[in-house]
Amino acid sequence: MRPAPRKIAVLGAGSWGTTFAKVLADSCANDGTVVQLWARRPEVANEITTRHTNATYLKETRLPENITASTDAAVVLENAEMVVLAVPAQQLRGQLREIGNLIPAGAVIVSLMKGLERETDARMTEVIAEELDWPQNAIAVVSGPNLAMEIARQEPTASVVACPDEDTAAWIANACSPDYFRPYTNTDLIGVEIGGIVKNVIALAVGICDGRGMGDNTKASVITRGLAETTRLALAIGGKLETMSGLAGLGDLVATCSSPLSRNRTAGRHLGSGLSLDEVNEVMTQTAEGIKSARAVLDRARSVDVEMPITEAVVMVLEGQLTVSDMAERLLGRELKSEGEAS
């Protein structure tokens, strides 16, 4: 295996970008690796570099000394051997067009993003490959039940590093393996990515149920059937069945649908309690990717003739075609089938 990277660039200083930078810095502290974050706001970059905190997203969590930050993408990307992308999914293509020429040739690109691009319905790794003309074996995804605040508190967590090239996946995993974060490797890039995308939409549905005061039976039913429709989509576009029963499928779905730390579950709960979509966007301090990606997920499913009734109901709520009070009736009023064929 190649030696540990000497420099890692992380683009995006939100909660997950900063937390993953901490994971990398803690893991590589004894290797002399430098981890540098790119932040939009000068005050955030200054806080990370001088105080070693990012209070906006991680409160008073102490960041390692080998993390610095800058608003200058050229400085952050210079000589980086690994480039981690943690920007909002719908902004990725624009960001790559601005800074793509600054990414060093030969660098491995790691996506932390969990969304489909609207208009194109493209996965984030597809956007990366298209915009940068980057080799597939140098593009990877990190996904799983990874609630940023819990990881920042160094609570034990497992995740998945997916890349078509096993050696590259292992190299990335070795660079992000402090004692509180266990990465497993996988070559099923499509399945891992789809699991991380669709679970946000299902979490919106669970949150809506929660906001409506529905019980655990209802939410468990949505989670279970949500996994079924996620699996159908993943398999239809080339993902593997076993991925859906692992950390990047079931694991991520359960964490996102169950935790009050989940942005998508929280956004759904606000919708279920009666807030309009505009009001939800106003009260949310961070992006709920499920809101942005739900329509793209549904469009992608329809393009491969996959039924996704929960996703369809969420999209109808988001687009004002269905009230939250009518959502459960729509889902439960479907034709009776055996569980094995249910959609």
Side-chain angles (χ1 to χ4, degrees):
M1 184 184 298
R2 71 179 93 174
R6 290 163 295 181
K7 181 179 180 182
I8 301 173
V10 180
L11 303 187
S15 58
W16 186 210
T18 305
T19 296
F20 195 68
K22 180 183 186 304
V23 168
L24 291 162
D26 283 338
S27 179
C28 299
N30 297 324
D31 298 325
T33 300
V34 172
V35 179
Q36 192 160 31
L37 275 157
W38 173 73
R40 287 181 176 278
R41 293 182 289 149
E43 62 272 21
V44 172
N46 182 65
E47 179 189 352
I48 291 170
T49 300
T50 60
R51 293 189 57 215
H52 295 286
T53 60
N54 188 348
T56 301
Y57 297 107
L58 300 181
K59 301 180 181 179
E60 291 305 310
T61 299
R62 182 75 180 176
L63 301 176
E65 296 291 325
N66 56 329
I67 292 180
T68 60
S70 172
T71 58
D72 189 336
V75 169
V76 172
L77 289 167
E78 186 178 14
N79 298 322
E81 296 171 64
M82 184 188 302
V83 176
V84 180
L85 299 176
V87 300
Q90 305 308 324
Q91 297 176 17
L92 175 61
R93 193 179 294 273
Q95 290 287 345
L96 292 178
R97 288 178 178 175
E98 289 182 14
I99 56 87
N101 64 316
L102 301 174
I103 298 176
V108 172
I109 299 178
V110 181
S111 169
L112 303 185
M113 299 161 291
K114 297 180 177 182
L116 283 185
E117 186 180 50
R118 289 180 294 190
E119 306 294 333
T120 68
D121 307 333
R123 293 177 286 111
M124 295 297 98
T125 58
E126 292 177 312
V127 175
I128 293 166
E130 180 182 333
E131 285 297 322
L132 301 181
D133 193 25
W134 220 254
Q136 288 289 340
N137 63 2
I139 302 174
V141 171
V142 173
S143 191
N146 301 152
L147 296 163
M149 198 64 228
E150 290 187 3
I151 298 172
R153 293 195 295 254
Q154 299 189 186
E155 297 178 13
T157 303
S159 192
V160 176
V161 177
C163 180
D165 183 79
E166 292 183 9
D167 291 339
T168 300
W171 180 70
I172 297 166
N174 191 62
C176 62
S177 56
D179 57 9
Y180 58 89
F181 190 85
R182 170 63 190 270
Y184 292 82
T185 59
N186 193 324
T187 57
D188 181 16
L189 192 69
I190 294 173
V192 169
E193 208 163 8
I194 289 297
I197 292 164
V198 182
K199 58 94 184 189
N200 286 330
V201 182
I202 306 304
L204 284 172
V206 171
I208 289 171
C209 293
D210 201 31
R212 296 294 299 167
M214 297 177 184
D216 291 336
N217 287 341
T218 305
K219 289 178 279 187
S221 299
V222 173
I223 292 171
T224 305
R225 297 314 308 163
L227 178 61
E229 65 183 54
T230 304
T231 301
R232 287 196 297 272
L233 178 60
L235 294 179
I237 62 175
K240 297 178 181 178
L241 180 62
E242 55 267 31
T243 301
M244 295 299 99
S245 61
L247 290 165
L250 177 61
D252 198 5
L253 180 66
V254 170
T256 307
C257 290
S258 303
S259 174
L261 295 174
S262 164
R263 285 173 274 178
N264 291 280
R265 179 178 179 269
T266 299
R269 182 168 49 80
H270 286 316
L271 287 169
S273 66
L275 296 188
S276 67
L277 183 56
D278 287 341
E279 290 170 332
V280 171
N281 288 328
E282 285 179 11
V283 300
M284 295 290 293
T285 58
Q286 299 183 63
T287 301
E289 288 288 2
I291 291 176
K292 304 289 187 180
S293 296
R295 165 50 72 178
V297 170
L298 182 59
D299 289 345
R300 187 67 176 266
R302 287 174 172 171
S303 73
V304 290
D305 295 322
V306 169
E307 282 196 75
M308 300 186 73
I310 298 173
T311 298
E312 183 176 20
V314 169
V315 169
M316 292 180 71
V317 168
L318 294 176
E319 296 181 354
Q321 301 167 20
L322 184 70
T323 66
V324 292
S325 59
D326 291 335
M327 182 172 160
E329 181 180 343
R330 177 182 175 84
L331 292 175
L332 295 178
R334 295 172 60 82
E335 178 187 354
L336 298 180
K337 299 179 180 181
S338 72
E339 185 179 31
E341 67 175 349
S343 59

